[in-house]
């Protein structure tokens, strides 16, 4: 998602969660207090367009090598991202979408998930045998989220289904 408007606060403010030194967290809160008061915002890294999305994706080897090289050669980008929150939903998407790989991106992570709203937060539901038909008819390659303590039979059902599909 270009710009990912609803999540811009993730990089427009300072977050020091990745720092082990406890001194940085209150300093970050103080800095954000003054930035909010004056209406200042951090801009994204050196003119890159920010992109965001799911932390669940599939990448080619060539793309992974590109990302690793980019991060190795742009340490200041890594430092910028260390002061960002929920970085896993921004960093890889932004590097890829600001590169030659942008035209190869399929905007589908091929993961089946049922989302629930609880107290204003969304989270993936635990999939059970009730979801079996929906899962296998979804066209997705992966599914989340399973809990054998809640329903272990769903995993056996999926295994049996895949075994039958592959033996045809």
């Amino acid at each position: 998602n270009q710009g990912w408007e609803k999540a811009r606060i993730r990089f427009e403010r300072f977050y020091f969660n990745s720092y082990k030194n406890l001194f940085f967290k209150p300093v970050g809160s103080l800095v954000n207090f003054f930035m909010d008061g004056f209406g200042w915002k951090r801009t994204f890294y050196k003119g890159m367009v920010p992109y965001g999305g799911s932390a669940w994706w599939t990448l080619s080897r060539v793309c992974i090598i590109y990302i690793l090289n980019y991060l190795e050669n742009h340490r200041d980008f890594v430092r910028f991202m260390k002061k960002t929150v929920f970085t896993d939903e921004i960093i890889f998407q932004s590097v890829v979408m600001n590169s030659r790989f942008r035209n190869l991106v399929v905007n589908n992570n091929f993961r089946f998930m049922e989302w629930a709203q609880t107290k204003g937060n969304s989270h993936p539901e635990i999939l059970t045998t009730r979801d079996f038909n929906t899962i296998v008819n979804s066209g997705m390659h992966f599914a989340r989220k399973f809990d054998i303590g809640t329903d272990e039979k769903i995993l056996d059902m999926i295994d049996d289904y895949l075994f039958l599909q592959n033996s045809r």
Side-chain angles (χ1 to χ4, degrees):
N1 298 310
Q2 183 177 8
W4 213 26
E5 293 305 317
K6 68 179 183 172
R8 294 183 72 79
I9 194 169
R10 295 178 181 194
F11 64 82
E12 289 179 339
R13 302 180 89 220
F14 285 95
Y15 298 91
F16 295 97
N17 298 333
S18 62
Y19 288 83
K20 291 184 174 129
N21 187 330
L22 295 178
F23 169 77
F24 284 108
K25 289 183 184 180
V27 169
S29 296
L30 187 62
V31 168
N32 287 329
F33 174 79
F34 284 108
M35 287 178 69
D36 291 346
F38 288 105
W40 297 337
K41 295 180 185 328
R42 289 172 72 206
T43 57
F44 202 70
Y45 177 75
K46 293 188 180 178
M48 281 179 81
V49 176
Y51 286 81
S54 172
W56 300 85
W57 25 257
T58 305
L59 299 170
S60 69
R61 180 181 177 91
V62 174
C63 186
I64 292 169
I65 291 169
Y66 174 83
I67 293 169
L68 292 173
N69 286 333
Y70 185 89
L71 297 176
E72 184 66 33
N73 294 318
H74 295 87
R75 303 306 297 166
D76 49 340
F77 178 65
V78 174
R79 281 189 295 278
F80 174 86
M81 294 306 289
K82 280 184 80 170
K83 297 174 198 83
T84 302
V85 70
F86 305 120
T87 307
D88 61 330
E89 295 179 347
I90 301 171
I91 188 169
F92 303 105
Q93 296 83 346
S94 295
V95 170
V96 170
M97 291 303 293
N98 283 278
S99 77
R100 68 181 190 267
F101 292 97
R102 73 177 295 124
N103 295 323
L104 301 173
V105 170
V106 175
N107 192 16
N108 185 338
N109 66 14
F110 295 101
R111 269 111 178 130
F112 177 83
M113 292 176 264
E114 288 287 343
W115 289 91
Q117 287 290 117
T118 306
K119 298 178 186 172
N121 295 318
S122 60
H123 58 85
E125 287 278 5
I126 295 172
L127 301 173
T128 66
T129 53
R130 290 187 311 269
D131 301 301
F132 176 77
N133 288 327
T134 308
I135 295 167
V136 298
N137 293 314
S138 70
M140 298 298 163
H141 301 183
F142 307 95
R144 110 176 240 249
K145 148 178 174 180
F146 299 99
D147 179 357
I148 59 172
T150 301
D151 186 344
E152 67 182 50
K153 188 172 184 210
I154 181 66
L155 297 174
D156 294 331
M157 291 171 70
I158 292 170
D159 287 343
D160 292 344
Y161 173 81
L162 292 173
F163 179 76
L164 285 173
Q165 294 297 308
N166 289 327
S167 59
R168 288 182 184 179

